[in-house]
């Protein structure tokens, strides 16, 4: 089992798909990485040599922000918005949708399960 950026990559899958198990690497970045180290996209992870896995690890560490660093930066960006007290920060602080969605109905993912209101019978 190959371990890259602190994540165990599934061995039976194609390299392009397996790289996407790393937080911060999607389809386009996976293709970029494969092109940089000159691996054919249809190769499986268990077919890679140790040298190729090492090259892949070095490319990811050098050129991309993934896993813990990316999560930390995202959390810091949200914390900065909350500390500024801007509109987006206030929405994060209150646990409401940030990007302009309606909240009269829907928004249950952000607001949590519906709470019954006493005396609201018709």
């Amino acid at each position: 089992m190959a371990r890259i950026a602190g994540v165990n990559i599934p061995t039976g899958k194609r390299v392009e798909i397996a790289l996407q198990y790393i937080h911060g690497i999607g389809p386009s970045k996976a293709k970029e990485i494969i092109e940089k180290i000159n691996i054919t996209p249809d190769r499986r992870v268990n077919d890679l040599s140790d040298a190729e896995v090492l090259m892949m690890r070095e490319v990811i560490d050098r050129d991309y922000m993934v896993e813990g660093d990316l999560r930390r930066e995202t959390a810091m960006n949200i914390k900065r918005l909350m500390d500024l007290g801007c509109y987006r920060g206030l929405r994060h602080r209150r646990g409401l949708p940030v990007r302009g969605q309606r909240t009269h109905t829907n928004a249950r993912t952000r607001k949590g399960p519906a709470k019954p209101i006493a005396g609201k019978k018709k």
Side-chain angles (χ1 to χ4, degrees):
M1 187 170 263
R3 190 168 175 83
I4 299 175
V7 176
N8 291 330
I9 292 181
T11 52
K13 296 191 185 268
R14 289 182 18 241
V15 177
E16 189 176 342
I17 303 301
L19 281 174
Q20 294 178 38
Y21 279 71
I22 300 171
H23 180 75
I25 295 180
S28 60
K29 284 187 183 178
K31 283 179 186 169
E32 278 178 30
I33 292 166
I34 290 170
E35 288 170 9
K36 282 183 183 178
I37 57 175
N38 297 323
I39 294 178
T40 55
D42 58 330
R43 295 232 348 238
R44 303 273 171 179
V45 175
N46 52 8
D47 297 338
L48 296 176
S49 66
D50 291 337
E52 288 171 329
V53 173
L54 186 66
M55 282 174 48
M56 193 181 305
R57 193 178 294 134
E58 288 171 354
V59 166
I60 291 171
D61 288 342
R62 184 182 65 231
D63 298 340
Y64 300 99
M65 184 178 290
V66 292
E67 283 300 323
D69 295 335
L70 181 61
R71 292 178 204 270
R72 195 174 306 109
E73 183 170 315
T74 306
M76 290 301 292
N77 288 339
I78 292 171
K79 187 177 182 318
R80 178 180 52 83
L81 290 171
M82 289 164 63
D83 292 343
L84 281 173
C86 65
Y87 182 77
R88 281 173 57 201
L90 294 175
R91 303 299 281 184
H92 274 292
R93 198 181 301 164
R94 293 179 185 155
L96 293 170
V98 177
R99 297 185 177 179
Q101 296 92 331
R102 65 179 291 135
T103 57
H104 179 71
T105 60
N106 304 334
R108 290 275 54 117
T109 302
R110 287 288 297 187
K111 291 166 75 174
K115 301 164 204 78
I117 300 168
K120 183 85 185 227
K121 294 178 183 173
K122 285 191 175 182

